[in-house]
Amino acid sequence: MQSGDAELVEVMRRCASALQSVTCSVSDEARALAALRDAAEAALAERLEEIDRTKAFVAEDASSTTTWARRELRQDARRTRQLIRAGVTMRELPAVGEAARAGRVSSEHVARFSFALAHVDEAEVRRVEAHLVAVAELHPPSRVKSLVDRLRSVVHPEELDEAWIAGADKAHLSLNPLPDGWHVTGFLPIEVGAKLQAVLDAVAVPREAGDRRTASQRRIDGLDLVLTRVLAEGLPTDGTVRPQVHVVVDAGTLQRALAPDTASAFEPVEPAVLQGFGRVGPNLLAHLTCGADLVPVLVDRIEANRTVLDVGRRHRDATPKQRHAVWFQQAGRCATEHCRNTVDHVHHRRRWSDGGPTDLANLVGLCSACHRHEHRHDVALARAG
């Protein structure tokens, strides 16, 4: 009998008492069984560590502890090595060993302490051992891992930069077409992954109450939205997408700006409208558009500009000017009745396949959900016909 067996016996007694009691709840039984499991694994870890340290496996004609455990305990080598390492940790960190033998922490908790001994300064781990054990007794192993990782970054800050450099060296991204889609594999450097995470977090939020899409589906839809808009607006040439500000001006104001000598000094100038906010003054407009592309869109007498807004049957996709015109005509909102989502797609009222032109009068702005619904409706009608 080893020194820690008294704790194991006590845990076994409490577990048996809980299972035999008619007043004990099923929750109490689960807690007792979990404590028994953890205490038994701690005792097994100590035995396996002693077998390995003293080479007791030789007396039973085994070449190693892992071989002996595979034969006698029906346990694979990986699990045996984990338990041996746990036994060493319990011997080197007395508070961890005491908590494990009493069933207050699991073998997974002990594994986090083993990692700390291997990758953090041992003296520092022993200094904070009591605090980490207290955390382990109340929280899952992931909480201990986060504290160990934090301690490691404090003790070895140079490893953070080493990890960044290593990550940059193995960065790659591959897209492989499959019959039902694309398979994406890759590894992103720290800063690139952080940017992608920030973008996906922004575009993958639920769009409205009752959005039943999974988080993964929302990320895919958000990525589709970003890619569609990038392609529609043009790919960046300098590695960044510069800010875009939509400003609405009437034709008279535009004429005054282009030829001030022909306008009356007393003619009022309509303030510019920053979409999503409202009217803004000239100084704020200059500040907002600093370093950005300013895209003026005529909203007065739009019929007079059909030569630049209509492309007939020459192109299937709407031109950038047409997209801006549709967006402003609908104030950025989906044209479907009662839908308040933003415009994501410019749709042909009369289908292109049926001879519909890419003219402003035949274009309507829809959100992604309504756009999918329109196409599914078209498919259903085609099948019915």
Side-chain angles (χ1 to χ4, degrees), residues 135-326:
V135 172
E137 291 179 352
L138 297 175
H139 299 281
S142 58
R143 181 67 176 274
V144 179
K145 179 182 183 302
S146 65
L147 292 177
V148 170
D149 289 343
R150 180 181 177 182
L151 180 63
R152 183 183 181 184
S153 67
V154 172
V155 176
H156 300 292
E158 72 284 353
E159 292 184 356
L160 299 177
D161 283 333
E162 291 173 0
W164 170 56
I165 295 172
D169 289 340
K170 63 180 181 180
H172 71 280
L173 183 65
S174 299
L175 291 174
N176 299 304
L178 300 174
D180 55 350
W182 294 80
H183 184 69
V184 182
T185 58
F187 183 89
L188 301 180
I190 293 174
E191 69 277 18
V192 178
K195 293 174 185 177
L196 178 60
Q197 183 69 57
V199 171
L200 291 180
D201 286 345
V203 298
V205 295
R207 294 188 176 181
E208 54 189 15
D211 191 339
R212 296 185 178 181
R213 295 175 300 163
T214 64
S216 180
Q217 289 171 334
R218 293 199 305 271
R219 285 192 290 270
I220 291 294
D221 290 344
L223 181 59
D224 176 54
L225 172 65
V226 171
L227 295 176
T228 299
R229 289 188 173 177
V230 168
L231 292 175
E233 298 294 337
L235 293 172
T237 58
D238 61 347
T240 60
V241 178
R242 292 186 291 171
Q244 296 181 3
V245 177
H246 291 98
V247 179
V248 181
V249 224
D250 66 36
T253 303
L254 181 64
Q255 181 181 3
R256 180 183 178 89
L258 295 176
D261 294 339
T262 64
S264 169
F266 300 99
E267 182 181 352
V269 177
E270 185 74 18
V273 176
L274 175 63
Q275 289 298 312
F277 176 78
R279 291 177 173 82
V280 296
N283 290 332
L284 177 55
L285 177 62
H287 173 71
L288 292 174
T289 56
C290 181
D293 289 328
L294 181 61
V295 182
V297 177
L298 298 180
V299 296
D300 186 22
R301 303 184 185 91
I302 204 164
E303 290 290 328
N305 295 277
R306 297 299 288 270
T307 55
V308 295
L309 293 178
D310 295 346
V311 293
R313 297 286 297 175
R314 288 178 296 169
H315 301 285
R316 176 171 182 169
D317 295 330
T319 66
K321 288 186 177 182
Q322 286 174 327
R323 292 178 183 275
H324 283 296
V326 169

Side-chain angles (χ1 to χ4, degrees), residues 56-93:
F57 53 82
V58 175
E60 298 200 18
D61 299 322
S63 59
S64 65
T65 305
T66 55
T67 301
W68 179 87
R70 185 184 297 110
R71 185 186 71 196
E72 301 296 332
L73 307 181
R74 303 170 304 282
Q75 183 170 273
D76 62 35
R78 179 174 178 271
R79 179 59 177 161
T80 299
R81 287 192 293 268
Q82 287 177 339
L83 289 173
I84 292 174
R85 193 180 307 116
V88 173
T89 299
M90 292 168 58
R91 181 158 47 84
E92 294 187 358
L93 299 176

Side-chain angles (χ1 to χ4, degrees), residues 29-56:
E29 292 175 353
R31 280 189 284 268
L33 288 169
L36 177 60
R37 174 203 62 198
D38 295 338
E41 284 191 340
L44 179 60
E46 289 183 316
R47 265 67 171 186
L48 289 174
E49 188 274 331
E50 182 177 350
I51 290 174
D52 191 68
R53 176 166 43 83
T54 62
K55 301 189 184 305

Side-chain angles (χ1 to χ4, degrees), residues 351 377-385:
R351 291 182 300 180
H377 179 66
D378 288 345
V379 172
L381 289 177
R383 289 176 177 174

